[in-house]
């Protein structure tokens, strides 16, 4: 498996407890995001290195850079239609472009002149942004917020083929680690993640990212 992993307990103390942060595995050129699909879609993507076949470009597709947030939403790969868990390496510049284009799913008065302006921006945007409570491996809600990004239109089409560097089916790894949540997660292994630094000040402000220094 290409993912770099570490014991969960050796990582959690270095993560922020509160605020809006992008936790992810990344390097200078790429960042890993996660998606879960039914076998027909997930297996095609893993085999071909892009999304095609029964994958629909007409629906919004959500990407999540935080592994444990993906595990919570998919029930660790047990929910119907989310059995195949994919780790997807995309170009880092592309992820930064996605962040720059994102529009919040909910109205935030500080960012828009009025509600109508936000609704217009949301309707026109090809990237939708949501901050949701992050979760402990057991499913317990945390104070820290996790990001997910909904892609559609030309952005989704470009993501599906042009921005992807590698796709890996990590379903077996997920199933193994689901068994390790008990015993206070002492044996749980997760992808190594750190807080992703957004350089552009305007994007930082728009995302309402919380300040963080390691």
């Amino acid at each position: 498996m290409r993912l770099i992993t570490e014991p969960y307990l050796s990582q959690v103390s270095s993560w922020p407890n509160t605020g809006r942060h992008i936790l992810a595995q990344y390097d200078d050129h790429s960042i890993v995001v996660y998606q879960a699909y039914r076998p027909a879609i997930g297996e095609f993507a893993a085999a071909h290195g892009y999304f095609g076949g029964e994958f629909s470009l007409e629906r919004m597709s959500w990407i999540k850079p935080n592994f444990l947030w993906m595990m919570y939403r998919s029930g660790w790969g047990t929910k119907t239609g989310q059995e195949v868990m994919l780790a997807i390496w995309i170009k880092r510049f592309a992820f930064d472009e996605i962040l720059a284009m994102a529009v919040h799913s909910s109205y935030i008065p500080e960012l828009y002149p009025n509600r109508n302006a936000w609704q217009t921006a949301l309707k026109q945007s090809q990237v939708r942004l949501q901050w949701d409570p992050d979760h402990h491996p057991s499913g317990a809600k945390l104070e820290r917020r996790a990001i997910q990004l909904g892609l559609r239109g030309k952005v989704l089409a470009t993501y599906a083929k042009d921005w992807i560097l590698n796709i890996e089916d990590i379903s077996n790894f997920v199933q193994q680690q689901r068994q390790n949540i008990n015993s206070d997660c002492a044996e749980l292994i997760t992808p190594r993640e750190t807080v992703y630094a957004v350089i552009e000040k305007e994007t930082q402000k728009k995302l309402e990212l919380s300040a963080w220094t390691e």
Side-chain angles (χ1 to χ4, degrees), residues 6-213:
E6 288 183 2
Y8 164 75
L9 292 181
S10 71
Q11 299 190 73
V12 66
S13 61
S14 66
W15 294 341
N17 293 319
T18 62
R20 294 181 175 90
H21 303 278
I22 302 173
L23 280 177
Q25 181 165 137
Y26 61 93
D27 58 27
D28 291 342
H29 307 291
S30 65
I31 181 170
V32 180
V33 297
Y34 301 95
Q35 294 192 278
Y37 288 102
R38 56 191 170 87
I41 295 176
E43 291 173 1
F44 180 99
H48 293 82
Y50 68 91
F51 286 100
E54 296 184 21
F55 181 81
S56 174
L57 293 174
E58 305 304 315
R59 299 176 58 187
M60 182 167 284
S61 186
W62 292 85
I63 60 174
K64 303 169 181 63
N66 179 328
F67 176 79
L68 288 176
W69 175 230
M70 183 73 253
M71 295 306 100
Y72 170 73
R73 288 305 299 264
S74 68
W76 289 81
T78 63
K79 292 184 178 179
T80 302
Q82 300 188 55
E83 301 91 348
V84 178
M85 193 68 56
L86 301 176
I88 304 149
W89 282 256
I90 65 173
K91 298 173 183 177
R92 183 165 173 175
F93 83 84
F95 186 73
D96 289 336
E97 286 189 15
I98 289 170
L99 293 177
M101 290 186 282
V103 175
H104 289 261
S105 291
S106 302
Y107 174 54
I108 300 174
E110 295 80 9
L111 297 179
Y112 302 95
N114 51 59
R115 186 175 290 273
N116 286 339
W118 162 72
Q119 289 176 334
T120 299
L122 185 65
K123 184 177 181 180
Q124 295 176 347
S125 175
Q126 297 180 52
V127 181
R128 186 167 296 184
L129 161 69
Q130 285 186 192
W131 287 107
D132 298 286
D134 207 346
H135 287 74
H136 183 271
S138 66
K141 186 184 295 186
L142 302 175
E143 292 187 32
R144 182 180 62 242
R145 293 275 168 163
I147 197 170
Q148 60 175 334
L149 298 152
L151 314 181
R152 67 178 180 181
K154 291 182 179 179
V155 170
L156 178 58
T158 305
Y159 162 78
K161 290 193 175 180
D162 298 336
W163 284 343
I164 291 173
L165 298 169
N166 183 58
I167 300 179
E168 190 169 53
D169 183 347
I170 60 169
S171 305
N172 289 337
F173 170 75
V174 168
Q175 292 170 15
Q176 292 166 3
Q177 297 312 314
R178 184 163 56 90
Q179 310 304 318
N180 293 333
I181 297 172
N182 298 325
S183 303
D184 296 322
C185 299
E187 297 182 8
L188 178 62
I189 304 295
T190 59
R192 186 175 71 195
E193 294 181 350
T194 54
V195 174
Y196 184 81
V198 175
I199 306 302
E200 290 292 331
K201 298 293 184 182
E202 186 175 335
T203 304
Q204 289 179 16
K205 181 179 179 181
K206 183 174 69 170
L207 298 178
E208 295 194 307
L209 288 170
S210 301
W212 175 251
T213 54

